[in-house]
Amino acid sequence: MSAEETDLGALPFDKALSELETIVSALEGGQLELEESMAKYERGVALLGALQSRLSEAQQKVTMLIGELEVEPTEAESE
Amino acid sequence: MAEDRTLTVTEAMTRAKGALEGIRVSVVGEVSEFADKPGYKAAYFTVCDSGTSMSCLMWRDIYESSGVSLRCGMLIELSGHFSAYLPKGRMQFIVRSLRLAGEGTLRLQVAQLARRLEAEGLMAPERKRTPPRIPSRIGVVTSPRGKAVHDVLRTLRRRFPLAEVVVAGVAVEGVGAPDEIKRAIELCAAQGPDVILLVRGGGSYEDLMPFNSEVVARAVVACPVPVVSGIGHEPDTTLADMVADVRASTPTAAAEASAPSVAELRETLRRERRLLGRALINRLDGVHHRIERIQQRPLFKEAHALLGQREQLLDSLGIRLRQSLPRRLGVDATAVEVIRGRMVRIGRTLVERHSRRVDLAGCSLRGLSPLAILERGYAVATTTSGQIIRDPESIREGDEFTVRVARGRIEGVAKSTTREEP
Protein backbone atom coordinates (compact mmCIF):
# COMPACT_ATOMS: atom_id res chain seq x y z
CA MET A 1 0.00 0.00 0.00
CA SER A 2 1.43 3.35 -0.92
CA ALA A 3 1.64 6.11 1.61
CA GLU A 4 -1.09 7.97 -0.22
CA GLU A 5 -3.61 5.29 0.44
CA THR A 6 -2.79 4.96 4.09
CA ASP A 7 -5.42 6.11 6.53
CA LEU A 8 -4.31 9.42 7.98
CA GLY A 9 -5.27 8.41 11.51
CA ALA A 10 -2.94 5.39 11.42
CA LEU A 11 0.00 7.31 9.98
CA PRO A 12 2.73 8.13 12.55
CA PHE A 13 3.24 11.85 13.01
CA ASP A 14 6.75 11.90 11.58
CA LYS A 15 5.69 9.84 8.53
CA ALA A 16 2.77 12.18 7.90
CA LEU A 17 5.00 15.23 8.22
CA SER A 18 7.63 13.69 5.93
CA GLU A 19 4.94 12.91 3.37
CA LEU A 20 3.68 16.48 3.57
CA GLU A 21 7.19 17.81 3.00
CA THR A 22 7.65 15.43 0.07
CA ILE A 23 4.39 16.65 -1.45
CA VAL A 24 5.41 20.28 -1.08
CA SER A 25 8.78 19.58 -2.72
CA ALA A 26 7.11 17.67 -5.53
CA LEU A 27 4.66 20.52 -6.13
CA GLU A 28 7.45 23.07 -6.00
CA GLY A 29 9.38 21.00 -8.52
CA GLY A 30 6.58 21.62 -11.00
CA GLN A 31 7.19 18.33 -12.78
CA LEU A 32 3.79 16.84 -12.00
CA GLU A 33 0.82 16.67 -14.30
CA LEU A 34 -1.80 19.23 -13.40
CA GLU A 35 -4.25 16.54 -12.29
CA GLU A 36 -1.58 14.97 -10.12
CA SER A 37 -0.70 18.39 -8.70
CA MET A 38 -4.31 18.87 -7.66
CA ALA A 39 -4.48 15.41 -6.11
CA LYS A 40 -1.21 16.02 -4.24
CA TYR A 41 -2.43 19.36 -3.04
CA GLU A 42 -5.61 17.80 -1.68
CA ARG A 43 -3.60 15.10 0.05
CA GLY A 44 -1.30 17.79 1.48
CA VAL A 45 -4.23 19.73 2.86
CA ALA A 46 -5.63 16.57 4.43
CA LEU A 47 -2.26 15.78 6.00
CA LEU A 48 -1.97 19.33 7.32
CA GLY A 49 -5.39 19.13 8.93
CA ALA A 50 -4.69 15.76 10.49
CA LEU A 51 -1.33 16.89 11.86
CA GLN A 52 -2.72 20.13 13.28
CA SER A 53 -5.62 18.43 15.00
CA ARG A 54 -3.28 15.80 16.39
CA LEU A 55 -1.08 18.51 17.84
CA SER A 56 -4.05 20.10 19.56
CA GLU A 57 -5.54 16.92 20.89
CA ALA A 58 -2.43 15.04 22.04
CA GLN A 59 -2.35 13.67 25.57
CA GLN A 60 0.93 12.14 26.60
CA LYS A 61 0.82 8.48 27.54
CA VAL A 62 3.39 7.46 30.15
CA THR A 63 4.12 3.83 31.00
CA MET A 64 6.30 2.71 33.90
CA LEU A 65 8.26 -0.35 32.76
CA ILE A 66 9.89 -0.85 36.17
CA GLY A 67 9.97 1.16 39.36
CA GLU A 68 7.24 3.29 40.82
CA LEU A 69 7.06 6.95 40.03
CA GLU A 70 7.21 9.04 43.15
CA VAL A 71 5.34 12.28 43.52
CA GLU A 72 7.58 15.14 42.57
CA PRO A 73 9.39 16.42 45.64
CA THR A 74 9.08 20.06 46.58
CA GLU A 75 12.10 22.30 46.25
CA ALA A 76 12.92 21.86 49.95
CA GLU A 77 13.00 18.07 49.72
CA SER A 78 14.97 17.87 46.54
CA GLU A 79 18.66 17.15 46.44
CA MET B 1 78.85 22.01 66.40
CA ALA B 2 78.62 25.70 66.98
CA GLU B 3 80.95 27.79 64.90
CA ASP B 4 82.47 31.06 66.01
CA ARG B 5 83.09 32.16 62.49
CA THR B 6 80.47 34.50 61.06
CA LEU B 7 78.95 33.09 57.83
CA THR B 8 78.03 34.83 54.67
CA VAL B 9 74.33 34.71 53.73
CA THR B 10 75.09 32.25 51.02
CA GLU B 11 76.99 30.05 53.42
CA ALA B 12 74.07 30.16 55.88
CA MET B 13 71.44 29.36 53.27
CA THR B 14 73.54 26.61 51.78
CA ARG B 15 73.80 25.07 55.21
CA ALA B 16 69.98 25.40 55.67
CA LYS B 17 69.37 23.90 52.24
CA GLY B 18 71.40 20.88 53.18
CA ALA B 19 69.36 20.46 56.36
CA LEU B 20 66.02 20.84 54.50
CA GLU B 21 66.92 18.25 51.94
CA GLY B 22 67.08 15.73 54.68
CA ILE B 23 63.36 16.10 55.37
CA ARG B 24 61.62 13.53 53.16
CA VAL B 25 57.81 13.38 53.62
CA SER B 26 54.45 12.59 52.05
CA VAL B 27 51.95 15.44 52.22
CA VAL B 28 48.22 15.83 51.51
CA GLY B 29 47.01 19.26 50.52
CA GLU B 30 44.79 21.27 48.25
CA VAL B 31 46.23 22.98 45.22
CA SER B 32 45.83 26.73 45.69
CA GLU B 33 48.09 28.20 43.02
CA PHE B 34 49.31 26.58 39.88
CA ALA B 35 51.62 27.77 37.13
CA ASP B 36 52.56 25.49 34.28
CA LYS B 37 53.91 27.52 31.42
CA PRO B 38 55.29 25.74 28.35
CA GLY B 39 58.72 27.43 28.66
CA TYR B 40 59.24 26.41 32.26
CA LYS B 41 61.51 23.54 33.21
CA ALA B 42 59.17 22.66 36.05
CA ALA B 43 55.58 22.98 37.23
CA TYR B 44 55.26 25.40 40.16
CA PHE B 45 52.31 25.20 42.47
CA THR B 46 51.26 25.82 46.04
CA VAL B 47 49.44 23.39 48.30
CA CYS B 48 47.72 24.45 51.44
CA ASP B 49 45.51 23.39 54.25
CA SER B 50 43.61 25.58 56.68
CA GLY B 51 46.76 26.46 58.58
CA THR B 52 49.49 27.20 56.08
CA SER B 53 50.82 26.67 52.59
CA MET B 54 53.97 25.52 50.88
CA SER B 55 55.55 26.21 47.51
CA CYS B 56 56.17 23.16 45.40
CA LEU B 57 58.32 22.46 42.36
CA MET B 58 57.91 19.45 40.13
CA TRP B 59 60.37 18.84 37.31
CA ARG B 60 58.53 18.74 34.04
CA ASP B 61 59.35 15.16 33.08
CA ILE B 62 58.18 13.87 36.46
CA TYR B 63 54.99 15.99 36.32
CA GLU B 64 54.07 14.83 32.86
CA SER B 65 54.59 11.18 33.67
CA SER B 66 52.27 11.45 36.67
CA GLY B 67 49.23 11.63 34.35
CA VAL B 68 47.60 14.23 36.58
CA SER B 69 46.48 17.61 35.28
CA LEU B 70 46.63 19.91 38.28
CA ARG B 71 43.84 22.40 38.87
CA CYS B 72 43.22 24.69 41.76
CA GLY B 73 41.12 23.07 44.43
CA MET B 74 42.35 19.56 43.73
CA LEU B 75 43.22 17.46 46.71
CA ILE B 76 46.57 15.83 46.06
CA GLU B 77 49.01 13.56 47.76
CA LEU B 78 52.68 14.36 47.16
CA SER B 79 55.96 12.93 48.27
CA GLY B 80 59.41 14.47 48.04
CA HIS B 81 61.71 16.58 50.11
CA PHE B 82 62.20 20.18 51.11
CA SER B 83 64.90 22.34 49.65
CA ALA B 84 65.81 25.98 49.26
CA TYR B 85 66.13 28.16 46.19
CA LEU B 86 69.26 30.07 47.01
CA PRO B 87 68.95 33.06 44.62
CA LYS B 88 65.72 34.04 46.34
CA GLY B 89 66.43 32.50 49.71
CA ARG B 90 63.13 30.71 49.51
CA MET B 91 62.12 27.36 50.87
CA GLN B 92 60.37 24.93 48.49
CA PHE B 93 59.19 21.39 48.31
CA ILE B 94 60.63 19.26 45.53
CA VAL B 95 57.89 16.84 44.43
CA ARG B 96 59.06 13.37 43.44
CA SER B 97 55.60 11.83 42.96
CA LEU B 98 52.07 13.08 42.80
CA ARG B 99 48.62 11.48 42.83
CA LEU B 100 45.10 12.56 43.42
CA ALA B 101 43.77 12.04 46.89
CA GLY B 102 40.22 10.80 47.61
CA GLU B 103 37.91 11.93 44.78
CA GLY B 104 41.11 12.63 42.94
CA THR B 105 41.81 8.90 42.88
CA LEU B 106 38.36 8.22 41.47
CA ARG B 107 38.84 10.85 38.81
CA LEU B 108 42.12 9.28 37.85
CA GLN B 109 40.50 5.88 37.49
CA VAL B 110 37.73 7.37 35.40
CA ALA B 111 40.24 9.23 33.28
CA GLN B 112 42.15 6.02 32.66
CA LEU B 113 38.95 4.18 31.71
CA ALA B 114 37.99 7.09 29.47
CA ARG B 115 41.33 6.84 27.68
CA ARG B 116 40.77 3.12 27.18
CA LEU B 117 37.23 3.55 25.81
CA GLU B 118 38.36 6.39 23.61
CA ALA B 119 41.16 4.23 22.22
CA GLU B 120 38.46 1.69 21.29
CA GLY B 121 36.76 4.41 19.30
CA LEU B 122 33.61 4.47 21.44
CA MET B 123 33.64 8.25 21.68
CA ALA B 124 34.32 8.81 18.01
CA PRO B 125 31.90 11.32 16.45
CA GLU B 126 31.30 9.04 13.45
CA ARG B 127 29.92 6.35 15.78
CA LYS B 128 27.27 8.69 17.14
CA ARG B 129 23.76 8.38 15.80
CA THR B 130 21.27 11.16 15.31
CA PRO B 131 17.92 10.65 17.04
CA PRO B 132 14.88 11.03 14.78
CA ARG B 133 13.48 14.52 14.50
CA ILE B 134 10.03 13.38 15.59
CA PRO B 135 9.97 10.33 17.88
CA SER B 136 6.86 8.21 18.33
CA ARG B 137 8.07 6.58 21.52
CA ILE B 138 10.64 7.87 23.98
CA GLY B 139 12.36 5.68 26.56
CA VAL B 140 13.56 7.18 29.83
CA VAL B 141 16.05 5.48 32.13
CA THR B 142 16.38 7.28 35.43
CA SER B 143 15.52 7.18 39.08
CA PRO B 144 11.76 7.14 39.69
CA ARG B 145 12.49 9.44 42.61
CA GLY B 146 13.75 12.98 42.68
CA LYS B 147 13.37 15.92 40.36
CA ALA B 148 15.05 14.58 37.25
CA VAL B 149 12.28 12.22 36.11
CA HIS B 150 9.66 14.93 36.64
CA ASP B 151 11.77 17.50 34.82
CA VAL B 152 11.90 15.10 31.88
CA LEU B 153 8.19 14.20 31.94
CA ARG B 154 7.13 17.81 32.29
CA THR B 155 9.38 18.90 29.45
CA LEU B 156 8.15 16.14 27.16
CA ARG B 157 4.53 16.92 28.03
CA ARG B 158 5.08 20.57 27.25
CA ARG B 159 7.09 20.03 24.09
CA PHE B 160 5.74 16.94 22.44
CA PRO B 161 2.76 15.18 24.04
CA LEU B 162 2.28 13.11 20.89
CA ALA B 163 5.08 10.73 21.78
CA GLU B 164 4.45 7.82 24.06
CA VAL B 165 6.86 7.68 27.02
CA VAL B 166 8.15 4.50 28.61
CA VAL B 167 10.04 4.94 31.86
CA ALA B 168 12.38 2.44 33.47
CA GLY B 169 12.80 3.67 37.02
CA VAL B 170 16.00 2.37 38.62
CA ALA B 171 18.36 3.07 41.43
CA VAL B 172 21.05 5.35 40.06
CA GLU B 173 23.30 5.28 43.11
CA GLY B 174 24.98 2.52 45.06
CA VAL B 175 26.93 -0.62 44.35
CA GLY B 176 24.29 -2.35 42.20
CA ALA B 177 23.40 0.77 40.23
CA PRO B 178 25.56 0.15 37.12
CA ASP B 179 24.05 -3.30 36.51
CA GLU B 180 20.53 -1.99 37.17
CA ILE B 181 21.03 0.87 34.76
CA LYS B 182 22.35 -1.54 32.13
CA ARG B 183 19.30 -3.79 32.58
CA ALA B 184 16.97 -0.79 32.44
CA ILE B 185 18.54 0.40 29.15
CA GLU B 186 18.05 -3.07 27.67
CA LEU B 187 14.47 -3.32 28.95
CA CYS B 188 13.68 0.11 27.58
CA ALA B 189 15.25 -0.67 24.22
CA ALA B 190 13.09 -3.81 23.97
CA GLN B 191 10.03 -1.53 23.86
CA GLY B 192 11.20 -0.21 20.52
CA PRO B 193 11.54 3.49 21.31
CA ASP B 194 13.05 5.92 18.81
CA VAL B 195 15.39 7.34 21.43
CA ILE B 196 16.36 6.65 25.06
CA LEU B 197 17.06 9.34 27.62
CA LEU B 198 19.61 8.41 30.27
CA VAL B 199 19.34 11.04 32.96
CA ARG B 200 19.89 11.81 36.61
CA GLY B 201 19.88 14.92 38.67
CA GLY B 202 22.91 16.64 40.08
CA GLY B 203 25.07 15.11 42.79
CA SER B 204 28.59 14.82 44.05
CA TYR B 205 31.28 13.26 41.93
CA GLU B 206 30.89 10.05 43.91
CA ASP B 207 27.11 10.13 43.36
CA LEU B 208 27.63 10.21 39.62
CA MET B 209 30.08 7.31 39.68
CA PRO B 210 27.64 4.65 38.29
CA PHE B 211 27.53 6.75 35.11
CA ASN B 212 31.31 6.57 35.03
CA SER B 213 31.28 2.79 35.17
CA GLU B 214 32.42 0.66 32.29
CA VAL B 215 29.20 -1.40 32.54
CA VAL B 216 26.96 1.60 31.88
CA ALA B 217 29.26 3.06 29.25
CA ARG B 218 29.21 -0.21 27.30
CA ALA B 219 25.43 -0.56 27.75
CA VAL B 220 25.01 2.89 26.18
CA VAL B 221 27.27 1.90 23.29
CA ALA B 222 25.40 -1.39 22.78
CA CYS B 223 21.97 0.24 22.90
CA PRO B 224 20.22 -0.33 19.54
CA VAL B 225 18.60 3.11 19.57
CA PRO B 226 20.27 6.50 20.01
CA VAL B 227 20.90 7.52 23.61
CA VAL B 228 20.62 11.11 24.82
CA SER B 229 22.37 11.67 28.14
CA GLY B 230 21.67 14.35 30.70
CA ILE B 231 23.59 13.55 33.82
CA GLY B 232 24.10 15.96 36.67
CA HIS B 233 24.61 19.58 35.84
CA GLU B 234 27.05 21.45 33.68
CA PRO B 235 30.00 20.99 33.82
CA ASP B 236 29.71 17.41 35.08
CA THR B 237 30.80 15.02 32.39
CA THR B 238 30.56 11.29 32.93
CA LEU B 239 31.71 8.45 30.72
CA ALA B 240 28.07 7.78 29.85
CA ASP B 241 27.89 11.36 28.54
CA MET B 242 31.03 10.83 26.48
CA VAL B 243 29.79 7.70 24.73
CA ALA B 244 26.16 8.83 24.41
CA ASP B 245 24.95 9.74 20.92
CA VAL B 246 23.85 13.15 22.14
CA ARG B 247 25.13 14.76 25.31
CA ALA B 248 22.85 17.21 27.06
CA SER B 249 23.94 19.11 30.16
CA THR B 250 20.86 18.40 32.28
CA PRO B 251 17.81 16.09 32.32
CA THR B 252 15.61 18.91 31.02
CA ALA B 253 18.07 19.65 28.23
CA ALA B 254 18.09 15.94 27.33
CA ALA B 255 14.29 15.94 27.07
CA GLU B 256 14.43 19.05 24.91
CA ALA B 257 17.04 17.47 22.66
CA SER B 258 14.98 14.33 22.15
CA ALA B 259 11.66 15.83 21.07
CA PRO B 260 10.55 18.71 18.91
CA SER B 261 8.30 21.29 20.50
CA VAL B 262 4.67 21.51 19.53
CA ALA B 263 5.16 25.23 19.02
CA GLU B 264 7.98 24.58 16.55
CA LEU B 265 5.90 21.94 14.81
CA ARG B 266 2.97 24.31 14.51
CA GLU B 267 5.33 26.80 12.91
CA THR B 268 6.59 24.04 10.60
CA LEU B 269 3.02 23.19 9.62
CA ARG B 270 2.22 26.84 9.00
CA ARG B 271 5.27 27.07 6.77
CA GLU B 272 4.33 23.86 4.96
CA ARG B 273 0.81 25.19 4.44
CA ARG B 274 2.16 28.38 2.92
CA LEU B 275 4.54 26.44 0.70
CA LEU B 276 1.82 24.01 -0.31
CA GLY B 277 -0.56 26.80 -1.27
CA ARG B 278 2.12 28.71 -3.10
CA ALA B 279 3.32 25.58 -4.88
CA LEU B 280 -0.14 24.90 -6.25
CA ILE B 281 -0.70 28.52 -7.20
CA ASN B 282 2.65 28.55 -8.98
CA ARG B 283 1.74 25.32 -10.72
CA LEU B 284 -1.61 26.76 -11.82
CA ASP B 285 0.02 30.02 -12.83
CA GLY B 286 2.50 28.05 -14.88
CA VAL B 287 -0.28 26.23 -16.69
CA HIS B 288 -2.18 29.49 -17.13
CA HIS B 289 0.84 31.22 -18.63
CA ARG B 290 1.42 28.36 -21.01
CA ILE B 291 -2.16 28.55 -22.17
CA GLU B 292 -1.88 32.33 -22.54
CA ARG B 293 1.31 31.97 -24.54
CA ILE B 294 -0.42 29.53 -26.83
CA GLN B 295 -3.39 31.88 -27.14
CA GLN B 296 -1.05 34.68 -28.18
CA ARG B 297 0.16 32.76 -31.18
CA PRO B 298 -1.07 34.06 -34.59
CA LEU B 299 -2.78 30.75 -35.21
CA PHE B 300 -5.30 31.57 -32.51
CA LYS B 301 -5.15 35.33 -32.63
CA GLU B 302 -5.74 35.75 -36.40
CA ALA B 303 -7.18 32.48 -37.42
CA HIS B 304 -8.93 33.97 -40.47
CA ALA B 305 -5.82 35.62 -41.77
CA LEU B 306 -3.96 32.39 -41.41
CA LEU B 307 -6.69 30.26 -42.84
CA GLY B 308 -7.88 32.82 -45.39
CA GLN B 309 -5.76 31.48 -48.21
CA ARG B 310 -6.97 27.97 -47.64
CA GLU B 311 -10.52 29.12 -47.19
CA GLN B 312 -10.36 30.95 -50.52
CA LEU B 313 -8.86 27.94 -52.20
CA LEU B 314 -11.63 25.84 -50.74
CA ASP B 315 -14.22 28.31 -51.93
CA SER B 316 -12.92 28.40 -55.50
CA LEU B 317 -12.73 24.64 -55.56
CA GLY B 318 -16.33 24.54 -54.42
CA ILE B 319 -17.37 26.88 -57.17
CA ARG B 320 -15.51 24.92 -59.79
CA LEU B 321 -17.00 21.74 -58.45
CA ARG B 322 -20.49 23.17 -58.54
CA GLN B 323 -19.89 24.48 -62.02
CA SER B 324 -18.23 21.40 -63.35
CA LEU B 325 -20.73 18.92 -62.07
CA PRO B 326 -23.86 19.89 -64.11
CA ARG B 327 -21.84 20.45 -67.25
CA ARG B 328 -20.35 17.03 -67.07
CA LEU B 329 -23.70 15.54 -66.21
CA GLY B 330 -25.27 17.31 -69.24
CA VAL B 331 -22.64 15.87 -71.47
CA ASP B 332 -23.24 12.44 -70.05
CA ALA B 333 -27.00 12.82 -70.18
CA THR B 334 -26.89 13.77 -73.86
CA ALA B 335 -24.72 10.77 -74.59
CA VAL B 336 -27.07 8.54 -72.68
CA GLU B 337 -30.02 10.01 -74.52
CA VAL B 338 -28.41 9.37 -77.84
CA ILE B 339 -27.57 5.85 -76.86
CA ARG B 340 -31.09 5.33 -75.56
CA GLY B 341 -32.61 6.47 -78.86
CA ARG B 342 -30.27 4.20 -80.72
CA MET B 343 -31.12 1.33 -78.43
CA VAL B 344 -34.86 1.89 -78.90
CA ARG B 345 -34.46 2.01 -82.62
CA ILE B 346 -32.20 -1.00 -82.65
CA GLY B 347 -34.68 -2.84 -80.44
CA ARG B 348 -37.57 -2.04 -82.74
CA THR B 349 -35.70 -3.11 -85.92
CA LEU B 350 -34.50 -6.21 -84.15
CA VAL B 351 -38.08 -7.26 -83.33
CA GLU B 352 -39.37 -6.44 -86.82
CA ARG B 353 -36.54 -8.28 -88.46
CA HIS B 354 -37.00 -11.30 -86.28
CA SER B 355 -40.78 -11.42 -86.62
CA ARG B 356 -40.39 -11.21 -90.34
CA ARG B 357 -37.87 -14.01 -90.26
CA VAL B 358 -40.19 -16.09 -88.11
CA ASP B 359 -43.08 -15.59 -90.63
CA LEU B 360 -40.85 -16.56 -93.49
CA ALA B 361 -39.63 -19.58 -91.56
CA GLY B 362 -43.25 -20.59 -90.86
CA CYS B 363 -44.11 -20.42 -94.58
CA SER B 364 -41.06 -22.40 -95.54
CA LEU B 365 -41.86 -24.97 -92.91
CA ARG B 366 -45.35 -25.37 -94.23
CA GLY B 367 -44.07 -25.82 -97.90
CA LEU B 368 -41.47 -28.31 -96.73
CA SER B 369 -43.97 -30.52 -94.91
CA PRO B 370 -44.59 -33.80 -96.80
CA LEU B 371 -48.24 -33.41 -95.95
CA ALA B 372 -48.38 -30.24 -98.01
CA ILE B 373 -46.88 -32.16 -100.94
CA LEU B 374 -49.38 -35.04 -100.52
CA GLU B 375 -52.12 -32.39 -100.53
CA ARG B 376 -50.97 -31.53 -104.01
CA GLY B 377 -51.72 -35.16 -105.11
CA TYR B 378 -48.36 -36.77 -104.50
CA ALA B 379 -48.04 -40.11 -102.68
CA VAL B 380 -45.22 -41.73 -100.75
CA ALA B 381 -44.61 -45.46 -100.90
CA THR B 382 -42.80 -47.14 -98.03
CA THR B 383 -41.69 -50.65 -97.36
CA THR B 384 -43.08 -52.57 -94.47
CA SER B 385 -40.04 -51.44 -92.51
CA GLY B 386 -40.92 -47.81 -93.24
CA GLN B 387 -38.23 -47.13 -95.90
CA ILE B 388 -39.31 -44.68 -98.58
CA ILE B 389 -39.25 -46.40 -101.91
CA ARG B 390 -37.33 -44.29 -104.41
CA ASP B 391 -36.00 -47.11 -106.51
CA PRO B 392 -38.10 -50.10 -107.78
CA GLU B 393 -35.12 -52.29 -106.99
CA SER B 394 -35.58 -51.67 -103.29
CA ILE B 395 -38.74 -53.87 -103.50
CA ARG B 396 -39.41 -57.28 -105.06
CA GLU B 397 -42.50 -58.81 -106.70
CA GLY B 398 -44.93 -60.01 -104.04
CA ASP B 399 -43.52 -57.60 -101.32
CA GLU B 400 -46.10 -55.68 -99.46
CA PHE B 401 -45.86 -51.89 -99.38
CA THR B 402 -47.72 -48.92 -98.07
CA VAL B 403 -48.75 -45.84 -100.00
CA ARG B 404 -49.23 -42.72 -98.03
CA VAL B 405 -51.65 -40.20 -99.55
CA ALA B 406 -52.97 -36.93 -98.25
CA ARG B 407 -55.94 -38.36 -96.45
CA GLY B 408 -54.76 -41.89 -95.47
CA ARG B 409 -52.80 -44.97 -96.57
CA ILE B 410 -53.18 -47.77 -98.97
CA GLU B 411 -51.71 -51.25 -98.48
CA GLY B 412 -50.62 -53.06 -101.61
CA VAL B 413 -48.59 -55.92 -103.09
CA ALA B 414 -46.04 -55.35 -105.81
CA LYS B 415 -47.09 -57.17 -108.99
CA SER B 416 -43.99 -56.18 -110.96
CA THR B 417 -41.24 -53.58 -110.91
CA THR B 418 -39.79 -51.61 -113.72
CA ARG B 419 -36.78 -49.41 -113.36
CA GLU B 420 -36.80 -46.27 -115.45
CA GLU B 421 -33.80 -44.03 -115.90
CA PRO B 422 -34.72 -40.44 -115.21
Side-chain angles (χ1 to χ4, degrees), chain A residues 12-14 17-18 20-21 23-24 27-28 30-34 37-38 40-41 44-45 47-48 51-52 54-75 78-79, chain B residues 133-134 136 144-147 149-151 153-154 156-157 160-170 173 183-184 187-188 191 200 202 262 265-266 268-273 275-277 279-280 283-284 287:
Chain A
F13 194 90
D14 60 331
L17 185 56
S18 303
L20 177 60
E21 285 164 341
I23 285 173
V24 170
L27 279 173
E28 284 178 331
Q31 299 297 310
L32 300 176
E33 291 294 328
L34 187 60
S37 295
M38 298 296 290
K40 291 262 184 215
Y41 177 78
V45 170
L47 282 167
L48 259 175
L51 288 171
Q52 277 166 334
R54 262 203 256 176
L55 279 186
S56 335
E57 291 159 16
Q59 291 278 327
Q60 195 137 57
K61 185 183 164 210
V62 178
T63 312
M64 289 301 290
L65 290 177
I66 42 169
E68 228 168 281
L69 195 62
E70 271 192 2
V71 177
E72 187 171 9
T74 62
E75 282 302 316
S78 65
E79 304 169 71
Chain B
R133 180 176 56 143
I134 301 172
S136 299
R145 305 154 66 165
K147 262 167 64 59
V149 66
H150 291 285
D151 285 347
L153 292 179
R154 190 172 45 245
L156 291 179
R157 196 160 55 237
F160 196 60
L162 273 81
E164 188 190 337
V165 180
V166 288
V167 183
V170 288
E173 286 175 31
R183 200 168 64 86
L187 197 69
C188 221
Q191 298 293 311
R200 75 147 281 160
V262 167
L265 280 174
R266 285 222 168 87
T268 302
L269 289 181
R270 267 196 291 278
R271 196 180 58 240
E272 291 297 322
R273 193 177 57 198
L275 291 175
L276 187 66
L280 187 75
R283 183 78 187 84
L284 290 174
V287 172

Side-chain angles (χ1 to χ4, degrees), chain B residues 352-373:
Chain B
E352 283 169 11
R353 199 158 60 219
H354 281 285
S355 61
R356 226 174 10 248
R357 276 179 67 187
V358 169
D359 288 351
L360 283 172
C363 292
S364 307
L365 270 176
R366 271 194 300 277
L368 284 172
S369 167
L371 296 176
I373 297 163

Side-chain angles (χ1 to χ4, degrees), chain B residues 76-330:
Chain B
I76 53 172
E77 219 178 289
L78 357 124
S79 17
H81 60 82
F82 285 98
S83 183
Y85 180 52
L86 291 182
K88 295 270 180 187
R90 209 153 57 196
M91 188 180 78
Q92 59 188 8
F93 189 74
I94 310 296
V95 182
R96 290 287 166 203
S97 75
L98 163 69
R99 65 189 181 91
L100 298 167
E103 183 185 312
T105 312
L106 284 179
R107 284 186 189 271
L108 188 63
Q109 285 168 1
V110 170
Q112 281 166 350
L113 179 55
R115 274 200 290 275
R116 193 147 56 81
L117 296 181
E118 191 173 17
E120 282 184 42
L122 303 187
M123 297 173 194
E126 55 269 25
R127 197 196 63 77
K128 311 247 167 152
R129 298 160 291 189
T130 307
R133 180 176 56 143
I134 301 172
S136 299
R137 185 177 288 172
I138 300 171
V140 182
V141 175
T142 190
S143 167
R145 305 154 66 165
K147 262 167 64 59
V149 66
H150 291 285
D151 285 347
V152 167
L153 292 179
R154 190 172 45 245
T155 305
L156 291 179
R157 196 160 55 237
R158 171 172 55 81
R159 282 180 71 86
F160 196 60
L162 273 81
E164 188 190 337
V165 180
V166 288
V167 183
V170 288
V172 292
E173 286 175 31
V175 185
D179 287 323
E180 265 201 64
I181 293 168
K182 173 179 190 272
R183 200 168 64 86
I185 291 173
E186 289 165 355
L187 197 69
C188 221
Q191 298 293 311
D194 299 296
V195 60
I196 289 179
L197 307 187
L198 179 61
V199 302
R200 75 147 281 160
S204 70
Y205 192 80
E206 283 78 8
D207 290 340
L208 301 182
M209 274 312 282
F211 294 91
N212 276 322
S213 68
E214 188 168 356
V215 170
V216 171
R218 292 201 183 277
V220 169
V221 170
C223 184
V225 296
V227 175
V228 178
S229 71
I231 296 153
H233 296 303
E234 195 86 70
D236 297 328
T237 301
T238 64
L239 288 184
D241 286 315
M242 294 179 199
V243 295
D245 296 284
V246 176
R247 194 227 150 182
S249 54
T250 62
T252 302
E256 283 170 350
S258 69
S261 84
V262 167
E264 283 165 23
L265 280 174
R266 285 222 168 87
E267 186 45 50
T268 302
L269 289 181
R270 267 196 291 278
R271 196 180 58 240
E272 291 297 322
R273 193 177 57 198
R274 276 199 304 276
L275 291 175
L276 187 66
R278 197 174 306 149
L280 187 75
I281 287 168
N282 287 343
R283 183 78 187 84
L284 290 174
D285 276 355
V287 172
H288 189 70
H289 283 139
R290 274 173 63 189
I291 292 172
E292 271 189 341
R293 270 204 306 281
I294 292 168
Q295 278 177 336
Q296 292 305 311
R297 289 186 188 170
L299 175 69
F300 291 101
K301 240 189 149 177
E302 297 164 81
H304 285 296
L306 202 85
L307 288 176
Q309 220 178 337
R310 284 193 181 82
E311 278 177 346
Q312 276 174 22
L313 179 65
L314 205 59
D315 280 351
S316 73
L317 280 174
I319 292 162
R320 281 169 60 192
L321 191 64
R322 273 194 300 278
Q323 286 172 343
S324 64
L325 257 181
R327 197 166 59 210
R328 182 71 216 153
L329 277 177

